[in-house]
């Protein structure tokens, strides 16, 4: 699925948002800014901010073993419904660890949400093909330059503001196409206009 589909899934309908979160996610692709926004969104749905030091774990493929991943995912959450375990640089896990991880995923406790993060996969191996059968894969492609204006407009709309078309293009020309840079500039603009609902070229 895409990032937009993931966000819509988390927002859709009534009921407990946590019930809409899947057990295993694989976030992959080139757009690191949106990947970070995605895992932060999932974590915010599942784990209250004051409990994150107990229920949000960060692991890194190059320096972790599959035993650590399994142990963290199997640990009972503290005063929360779910424990969220993030594994960055999934591609750097050893082949042995990947093999064990795939066999463990179907037995993942219901109290855990495992988020696996990798760069763009150019040639899917047996591991990634198996992972696709188990995990919800979210692909993060770099936006084309022509897609940036809509992204800016929607980002500002999320802040409860609207922006003139001419201001969108001026912002893109000034800040470029890097989403992290654009998000920072949008935050500044939203703060600057204060209670005003519109961002103009001026």
């Amino acid at each position: 699925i895409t990032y937009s589909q993931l966000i819509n899934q988390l927002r859709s309908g009534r009921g407990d948002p946590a019930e809409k979160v899947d057990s295993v996610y694989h976030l992959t692709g080139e757009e690191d800014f949106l990947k970070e926004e995605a895992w932060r969104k999932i974590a915010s749905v599942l784990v209250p901010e004051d409990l994150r030091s107990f229920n949000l774990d960060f692991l890194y493929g190059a320096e972790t073993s599959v035993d650590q991943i399994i142990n963290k995912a199997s640990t009972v959450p503290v005063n929360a419904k779910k424990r969220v375990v993030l594994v960055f640089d999934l591609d750097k896990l050893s082949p042995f660890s990947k093999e064990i991880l795939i066999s463990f995923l179907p037995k993942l406790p219901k109290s855990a949400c495992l988020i696996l993060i990798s760069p763009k996969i150019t040639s899917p191996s047996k591991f990634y093909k198996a992972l696709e059968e188990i995990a919800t894969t979210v692909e993060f492609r770099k936006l084309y330059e022509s897609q940036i204006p809509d992204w800016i407009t929607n980002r500002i709309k999320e802040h409860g503001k609207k922006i003139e078309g001419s201001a969108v293009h001026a912002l893109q020309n000034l800040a470029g196409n890097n989403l992290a840079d654009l998000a920072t500039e949008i935050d500044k603009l939203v703060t600057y206009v204060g209670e005003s609902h519109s961002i103009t070229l001026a």
Side-chain angles (χ1 to χ4, degrees), residues 51-145:
L51 294 174
R52 288 187 187 175
S53 59
F54 301 104
N55 300 306
L56 183 58
D57 297 298
F58 299 87
L59 301 172
Y60 297 85
E63 55 192 55
T64 192
S65 69
V66 70
D67 287 342
Q68 289 174 291
I69 298 172
I70 292 172
N71 287 339
K72 291 291 185 183
S74 301
T75 301
V76 177
V78 178
N79 294 329
K81 291 182 179 179
K82 294 266 189 177
R83 169 178 294 278
V84 177
V85 180
L86 288 131
V87 181
F88 297 91
D89 302 326
L90 178 66
D91 55 308
K92 294 180 181 177
L93 274 180
S94 70
F96 173 76
S97 290
K98 288 177 180 176
E99 187 176 329
I100 300 300
L101 180 60
I102 285 294
S103 64
F104 166 72
L105 291 181
K107 298 174 280 189
L108 183 73
K110 292 182 179 179
S111 60
C113 175
L114 185 60
I115 304 175
L116 308 170
I117 302 172
S118 72
K120 180 181 178 181
I121 307 301
T122 52
S123 53
S125 62
K126 180 181 176 182
F127 168 73
Y128 289 109
K129 289 176 181 176
L131 183 60
E132 194 167 341
E133 296 294 320
I134 301 169
T136 297
T137 299
V138 189
E139 189 172 0
F140 295 84
R141 297 178 181 177
K142 282 282 186 186
L143 297 185
Y144 293 113
E145 187 172 346

Side-chain angles (χ1 to χ4, degrees), residues 3-202:
Y3 171 69
S4 297
Q5 289 171 322
L6 171 65
I7 297 303
N8 289 336
Q9 173 188 322
L10 297 177
R11 289 176 178 167
S12 64
R14 298 179 180 179
D16 185 354
E19 298 297 327
K20 301 163 190 171
V21 177
D22 295 328
S23 297
V24 186
Y25 287 96
H26 177 211
L27 311 184
T28 182
E30 303 166 284
E31 188 46 75
D32 291 333
F33 176 77
L34 292 183
K35 272 194 276 190
E36 181 173 344
E37 287 218 324
W39 70 252
R40 287 186 183 278
K41 178 64 177 175
I42 296 168
S44 70
V45 168
L46 295 178
V47 184
E49 192 167 348
D50 59 337
L51 294 174
R52 288 187 187 175
S53 59
F54 301 104
N55 300 306
L56 183 58
D57 297 298
F58 299 87
L59 301 172
Y60 297 85
E63 55 192 55
T64 192
S65 69
V66 70
D67 287 342
Q68 289 174 291
I69 298 172
I70 292 172
N71 287 339
K72 291 291 185 183
S74 301
T75 301
V76 177
V78 178
N79 294 329
K81 291 182 179 179
K82 294 266 189 177
R83 169 178 294 278
V84 177
V85 180
L86 288 131
V87 181
F88 297 91
D89 302 326
L90 178 66
D91 55 308
K92 294 180 181 177
L93 274 180
S94 70
F96 173 76
S97 290
K98 288 177 180 176
E99 187 176 329
I100 300 300
L101 180 60
I102 285 294
S103 64
F104 166 72
L105 291 181
K107 298 174 280 189
L108 183 73
K110 292 182 179 179
S111 60
C113 175
L114 185 60
I115 304 175
L116 308 170
I117 302 172
S118 72
K120 180 181 178 181
I121 307 301
T122 52
S123 53
S125 62
K126 180 181 176 182
F127 168 73
Y128 289 109
K129 289 176 181 176
L131 183 60
E132 194 167 341
E133 296 294 320
I134 301 169
T136 297
T137 299
V138 189
E139 189 172 0
F140 295 84
R141 297 178 181 177
K142 282 282 186 186
L143 297 185
Y144 293 113
E145 187 172 346
S146 60
Q147 295 175 300
I148 298 294
D150 282 344
W151 185 86
I152 292 172
T153 301
N154 290 330
R155 182 89 179 180
I156 288 173
K157 191 182 294 182
E158 289 175 3
H159 287 281
K161 311 287 186 185
K162 60 183 179 179
I163 184 170
E164 292 180 350
S166 57
V168 171
H169 293 294
L171 177 58
Q172 185 178 4
N173 288 336
L174 289 167
N177 297 324
N178 181 286
L179 298 190
D181 292 341
L182 283 166
T184 298
E185 298 308 315
I186 287 170
D187 288 344
K188 291 178 186 176
L189 281 170
V190 168
T191 300
Y192 180 77
V193 299
E195 294 183 3
S196 173
H197 292 294
S198 182
I199 297 172
T200 65
L201 179 59

